[in-house]
């Protein structure tokens, strides 16, 4: 099977299994994360107090950690929930929002990556570059490491190798790699960047795809990440057709509509995947 | 007057009085709670710091406590605000979100229920079962206590008697009881469960209905709870007709639209209430 | 140039410059604040932990402080971020939500106003009256100070003089003043008050306009405040035409749509400004 076929099958399994996905995330986009998870067929639960974070992880099928609005209280909860997930074999998705932008974010990303085993690391080029330990300049990754065409693949591979995880570097073309296989996805629309939280929503639904993958004999988290990244890209294309001219508010709602209507067949038909 | 008639009259009073409703709630659905309150004719205020929670309750006409994303900081605020409300005769609505799912939620629900006098307790079958002190199994309430047809009524009555409150057990058919009277409401649409926060919004607007009821010589919190639960059910039906096929994003917006357009006449016309 | 022309030109500059605007705000309307900022052409960043607040301000082009859901943790962050902004010459917008409603809000507003130099103070008549040190009665400002026709101008001027800032008093007619010039803006629609956060969104986008103004040789924060207040007013008018009869949910989305479609020409055409 191709990665696209695998990803599309996982979408069907998400809809059948309705996995409970525990999110410790930011207060800016949390409502959209919950609604995106419901739209794709999962079931969201948000709980970030240290007194219950690990308990809630223990009853969930995946854990999503998102650094969007970090604070001292929730960092500890992320670490405890992450360790509990590792202990129980529950896949962890990590979105290092804003890594590189402040010392707090840098240190927290490093603590999570060193203490918790991650299944999928999802972020933009600058965030994944930071996680990979590469110098981040305003123009992107240091040019001695990579030229502009290969940035995302070089950075993704480096991060994937360093943390033995799947790295999903999202951008105009999304690059997803487990360090060996690389898939480039050309679905999406630039209007997605005019709505807050489309990255966070992608990470949240990656939790649902990872939960479905984790039930397979050989979990394929590359296909899981590709499935969620492609879902958001396709939702952006469909939403643009329907509401792109109306404005960003209607486009936002149309993205959720499209996620809720997506299925295995449509994903196979719309997917623009290139495997390396 | 029937309970439906009473509930519909309360809706009209909410729109006349525009009661200020203090919410200490979760960060996932709080924006929807505020907009649902505005849509139904109330005025929302959110304040959860211990340094002002009781002060804000004191200027409000109802208090809504929602455990959706508990943390140490807000639990104390809920207790203080609840006690202030009791002191001043302001009705309190309690939504024990996720009771049964973690020790923190269980303990907090118990603390609130033992220290604060509640006017309306609203939740799903599993949450109200926990509050009522019944064993909760994955299949629902322990079968020695209740069979599947009567679950909600048995559980609701038990909770209502235990806490001398109105219990609103929402589900495919909503059951609302003060321990003596029981009303079953068949309004609603299953698509409501594909949008996060429709339960939280119901609890929030219950605050507005309870505020209006509290001004009557003999406050009827059963009618208040029935009015808010029916409002959400009717909004779900109307929204499904308008946007059900478009997707869950448009359906979500249509629910708020429908709440904002609902009135006494429409409620009387659409209500599917069965009194026992 | 008129203030309207200046304001409209600033909108064009926001769209060209895409200023990064740091918001320390409430969890009720934060998603709308981020989406309103994106819609008007800015770039939002939310960060409220004391360990990074000043760092994030330092990389931003404006700072917006909003007291909507105050807590002990974020008050300190607001003060530190505000001081850093002052140090670096980054304009600060302050929205004293609910000033007058609790001792905590009163004290916090006073601490911020005494420790941080504000470029634009935006609120309703009651909030700005409190900030100006005027007695606030349930009917508005004490009548010995101002009659009902002049309330907003008297209050605005007093606040502007006291804090050497621009005061934007929003209401049916918005009054914006730097203590000398006064502009009255009649754009808007009363349905804006039936959606939570339209005031918060106005403050958030004021950050984007202030950022653009700060790059000019002689920053005109009166024009900046007028531009953002007018943007929301025009968005309300356009949204009402499109979705006013459908309900408050659709109206809410149409407001964001309208913000995202507004441009310099349309603002000049629609503006109903009266300069004094």
């Amino acid at each position: 099977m191709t990665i696209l076929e695998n990803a599309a099958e996982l979408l069907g399994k998400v809809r059948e299994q309705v996995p409970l996905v525990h999110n410790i995330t930011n207060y800016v986009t949390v409502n959209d994360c919950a609604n995106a998870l419901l739209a794709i067929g999962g079931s969201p639960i948000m709980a970030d107090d240290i007194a219950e974070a690990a308990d809630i992880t223990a009853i969930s099928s995946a854990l999503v950690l998102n650094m969007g609005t970090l604070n001292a209280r929730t960092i500890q909860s992320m670490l405890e929930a992450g360790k509990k997930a590792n202990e129980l074999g529950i896949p962890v998705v990590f979105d290092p929002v804003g890594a590189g932008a402040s010392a707090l974010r840098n240190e927290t990303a490093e603590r999570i990556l060193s203490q918790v085993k991650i299944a999928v690391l999802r972020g933009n080029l600058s965030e994944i570059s930071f996680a990979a330990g590469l110098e981040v300049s305003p123009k992107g990754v240091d040019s001695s490491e990579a030229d502009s065409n290969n940035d995302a693949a070089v950075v993704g591979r480096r991060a994937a190798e360093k943390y033995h995880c799947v790295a999903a570097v999202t951008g105009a073309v999304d690059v997803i790699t487990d360090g060996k296989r690389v898939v480039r996805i050309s679905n999406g629309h630039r209007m997605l960047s005019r709505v807050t939280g489309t990255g966070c929503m992608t990470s949240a639904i990656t939790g649902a795809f990872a939960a479905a993958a984790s039930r397979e004999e050989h979990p394929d988290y590359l296909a899981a990440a590709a499935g969620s990244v492609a879902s958001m890209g396709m939702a952006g294309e469909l939403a643009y057709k329907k509401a792109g001219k109306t404005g960003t508010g209607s486009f936002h709602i149309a993205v959720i509509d499209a996620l809720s209507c997506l299925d295995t067949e449509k994903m196979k038909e719309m997917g623009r995947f290139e495997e390396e």
Side-chain angles (χ1 to χ4, degrees), chain A residues 129-142:
Chain A
S129 296
F130 177 84
L134 299 169
E135 286 300 311
V136 183
S137 80
K139 291 179 198 165
V141 177
D142 179 53

Side-chain angles (χ1 to χ4, degrees), chain A residues 39-241:
Chain A
I40 208 70
S43 177
I45 187 162
M46 276 67 179
D48 63 18
D49 196 80
I50 190 74
E52 70 169 355
D55 288 356
I56 297 296
T57 298
I59 59 169
S60 300
S61 300
L63 171 66
V64 179
L65 305 177
N66 173 308
M67 302 200 317
T69 53
L70 275 185
N71 68 62
R73 193 175 66 76
T74 51
I75 291 168
Q76 207 51 47
S77 301
M78 288 187 189
L79 292 169
E80 292 228 1
K83 287 171 192 172
K84 175 60 75 177
N86 285 173
E87 197 184 308
L88 300 176
I90 295 166
V92 180
V93 176
F94 179 40
D95 186 339
V97 183
S102 77
L104 179 70
R105 288 174 196 244
N106 298 354
E107 288 159 20
T108 304
E110 281 166 0
R111 285 175 74 190
I112 290 173
L113 287 165
S114 66
Q115 295 180 39
V116 179
K117 165 100 187 77
I118 301 299
V120 181
L121 176 67
R122 195 215 66 82
N124 61 31
L125 182 59
S126 155
E127 292 156 351
I128 305 300
S129 296
F130 177 84
L134 299 169
E135 286 300 311
V136 183
S137 80
K139 291 179 198 165
V141 177
D142 179 53
S143 57
S144 66
E145 300 268 2
D147 70 68
S148 63
N149 286 327
N150 290 316
D151 270 4
V154 169
V155 163
R157 268 185 212 272
R158 181 79 69 95
E161 284 162 7
K162 188 167 177 184
Y163 301 109
H164 306 288
C165 70
V166 168
V169 186
T170 53
V173 173
D174 309 303
V175 176
I176 302 167
T177 177
D178 56 8
K180 290 176 199 113
R181 293 174 294 165
V182 176
V183 59
R184 291 170 201 275
I185 304 179
S186 305
N187 291 103
H189 192 280
R190 66 189 146 61
M191 200 166 176
L192 285 166
S193 65
R194 294 196 63 200
V195 173
T196 193
T198 52
C200 299
M201 287 187 247
T202 304
S203 295
I205 63 175
T206 302
F209 280 87
S214 74
R215 294 220 194 167
E216 309 284 302
E217 205 183 328
H218 300 290
D220 185 353
Y221 294 121
L222 180 76
S228 65
V229 166
S231 295
M232 182 54 71
M234 291 168 192
E237 292 173 29
L238 294 164
Y240 183 77
K241 268 184 212 152

